[in-house]
Amino acid sequence: MTRVETIHRAIRHVYEAALAPEDWPRAIASIAEAGEAGKAMLHAQEREAPGLAISIGFDANSAWLLQREIETRMPDWIKAIPVGKALRQSSAISDTDFKRSDIYREAIRPAGGFYGIVAPLVREPERQVLFSMGRELGKANFSDDDLGALTLIVPHLTTALQVRKRLDAADLRAKGAYDVLTHLDIGVVLFDAAMRPIFANRCAEALARSGDGLLLSGRSVSASRPSDARSLRAAIAAAIALNNTGRDASETAIRPQAPMRCYLSRSPPRLPLVVRVLPVSASDLLQGISASTRAALFVIEPDRQVAIDPMVLAATFELTRREAALAALLARGMELAEAASQSGIAIGTARGYLKQILAKTATHRQAELVSLLLRGGLHITR
């Protein structure tokens, strides 16, 4: 498998884990493979809540030691890495100083590791999320290609975490289930026992309109490729079947189940859509959802550009309307001259706006600003 293929697979697994948390270990393992790392850890910590560490390549004690170091005495060189940026440890601290550090002596050395890459994903007063991957002692340092692989994956990993957080936090009963589902920035389709779609949100309808990957009609959901359509139908049927045990419960329990996940291929170079189907029993129905619902399909578009809302940027960082509009364009990957042209302003004026934006966001370079905005401007609902 080529490096590009391992990166694409890691991205698919990351988005699948956003919909099915039990898949996070597989996603972390895929990221480690893309970066040719023997060890990896995703660490999340929230105030007044126990920390969470999903690790690959560590035994239980070594993982606990590293988790403890991160939670109790995070090294200053890690704290200095901008959110959303992947950095080789050797670029932030010399090998000599690293060998003397607490995190190496107390956690990395006992685990048999040395060189690493670290990427802070979330840094908020109430929540910290850090991804790191490492190599065994005696292995060569990570190359530029290894760092580049993680740099490509990090924005998707951050987005997936935001998706998971929004899905966990959505109070469907209080706000009205259909209203929340309608505005989710991932595709949602609900099915009855006959596999007929009874609801599709705006995102699912938009994906279907392209005719590339997901197909949606009033009576069925399918895929543009016949093999994908069969996999999709099998996934939906498997989810619905879990609600139809009845007298044949024992037979259903031992019958091999089709996977309730699949990928829908799209025209190159687009990445496949990531699909997860979950059973919905009558006892689990949320207020406002049709009583005939028996399965819910979630679909994520891995290569979709993150939408940055200028109004949110203005409110968050006290930017003017024009500064926020320029910042949003920069976050979409535009160069300053291109963003200035699209905004209808001179490049000199754009440089002046950028200077003010950097000052208000406490950043020093355009790349650092974009990293901050991608993290702070993610929106899973519209």
Side-chain angles (χ1 to χ4, degrees):
M1 183 175 291
T2 67
R3 174 64 66 91
V4 171
E5 289 171 335
T6 62
I7 292 172
H8 284 180
R9 184 174 66 174
I11 291 172
R12 290 198 300 270
H13 288 174
V14 160
Y15 281 113
E16 190 166 277
L19 302 178
E22 67 271 16
D23 288 336
W24 274 116
R26 185 181 67 163
I28 301 307
S30 292
I31 299 174
E33 181 182 358
E36 298 187 359
K39 306 175 186 295
M41 176 178 282
L42 178 67
H43 178 269
Q45 181 181 13
E46 298 196 31
R47 183 173 294 182
E48 300 180 357
L52 170 67
I54 302 170
S55 61
I56 298 298
F58 293 90
D59 59 39
N61 186 60
S62 296
W64 179 81
L65 290 173
L66 182 55
Q67 181 180 359
R68 184 189 64 180
E69 288 298 313
I70 292 172
E71 292 180 1
T72 60
R73 47 184 180 184
M74 178 88 75
D76 289 339
W77 63 269
I78 294 181
K79 294 178 182 177
I81 301 174
V83 171
K85 179 179 177 62
L87 186 72
R88 278 182 288 242
Q89 137 216 327
S90 55
S91 298
I93 184 172
S94 69
D95 288 357
T96 300
D97 288 340
F98 183 62
K99 290 177 181 178
R100 296 171 180 164
S101 67
D102 292 328
I103 195 169
Y104 175 70
R105 290 186 292 104
E106 299 295 330
I108 305 299
R109 184 171 65 184
F114 192 79
Y115 285 116
I117 297 179
V118 180
L121 305 177
V122 178
R123 187 182 290 140
E124 300 170 349
E126 302 293 331
R127 185 167 178 252
Q128 308 281 330
V129 182
L130 181 75
F131 178 81
S132 59
M133 63 185 192
R135 285 181 173 162
E136 289 76 11
L137 182 64
K139 296 277 189 178
N141 196 1
F142 289 95
S143 68
D144 289 345
D145 286 343
D146 300 326
L147 180 64
L150 187 56
T151 297
L152 290 171
I153 295 170
V154 161
H156 299 283
L157 182 55
T158 304
T159 301
L161 290 169
Q162 292 284 354
V163 169
R164 185 68 254 166
K165 183 180 178 182
R166 288 299 182 105
L167 290 176
D168 288 340
D171 186 348
L172 299 182
R173 287 181 174 85
K175 295 182 64 177
Y178 281 131
D179 180 60
V180 172
L181 295 177
T182 294
H183 291 87
L184 280 176
D185 230 6
I186 61 175
V188 181
V189 183
L190 304 180
F191 297 90
D192 63 15
M195 297 178 59
R196 291 187 297 260
I198 55 178
F199 169 82
N201 72 351
R202 295 173 183 172
C203 185
E205 290 175 343
L207 288 171
R209 279 196 298 271
S210 71
D212 189 16
L214 180 71
L215 302 179
L216 179 63
S217 71
R219 298 187 60 83
S220 67
V221 172
S222 189
S224 50
R225 292 191 181 183
S227 59
D228 291 345
R230 290 191 292 270
S231 298
L232 178 59
R233 185 173 181 82
I236 298 169
I240 292 175
L242 293 180
N243 290 310
N244 298 327
T245 53
R247 292 182 303 172
D248 299 325
S250 59
E251 179 184 348
T252 302
I254 64 175
R255 185 186 304 132
Q257 293 289 334
M260 290 184 289
R261 63 169 69 93
C262 61
Y263 302 110
L264 305 184
S265 302
R266 295 188 291 175
S267 302
R270 304 297 302 276
L271 293 177
L273 298 172
V274 178
V275 174
R276 173 79 173 183
V277 189
L278 300 177
V280 178
S281 66
S283 60
D284 293 333
L285 285 172
L286 300 167
Q287 181 178 345
I289 293 293
S290 170
S292 60
T293 301
R294 291 296 175 268
L297 177 149
F298 299 89
V299 55
I300 287 179
E301 192 175 13
D303 53 5
R304 178 179 181 175
Q305 280 193 338
V306 175
I308 304 296
D309 188 340
M311 293 182 65
V312 173
L313 295 184
T316 302
F317 301 107
E318 297 184 354
L319 304 179
T320 66
R321 180 176 59 82
R322 288 187 175 275
E323 289 169 352
L326 180 66
L329 293 176
L330 295 176
R332 288 170 53 187
M334 291 187 185
E335 295 296 332
L336 185 60
E338 182 183 2
S341 176
Q342 182 154 331
S343 300
I345 59 177
I347 185 65
T349 303
R351 290 194 183 100
Y353 286 158
L354 178 59
K355 183 177 180 180
Q356 293 298 317
I357 295 168
L358 294 176
K360 292 179 180 180
T361 57
T363 54
H364 302 89
R365 301 181 308 278
Q366 184 173 326
E368 185 181 353
L369 168 69
V370 170
S371 175
L372 172 67
L373 298 185
L374 287 176
R375 190 265 300 177
L378 290 174
H379 291 282
I380 309 307
T381 57
R382 300 187 192 190

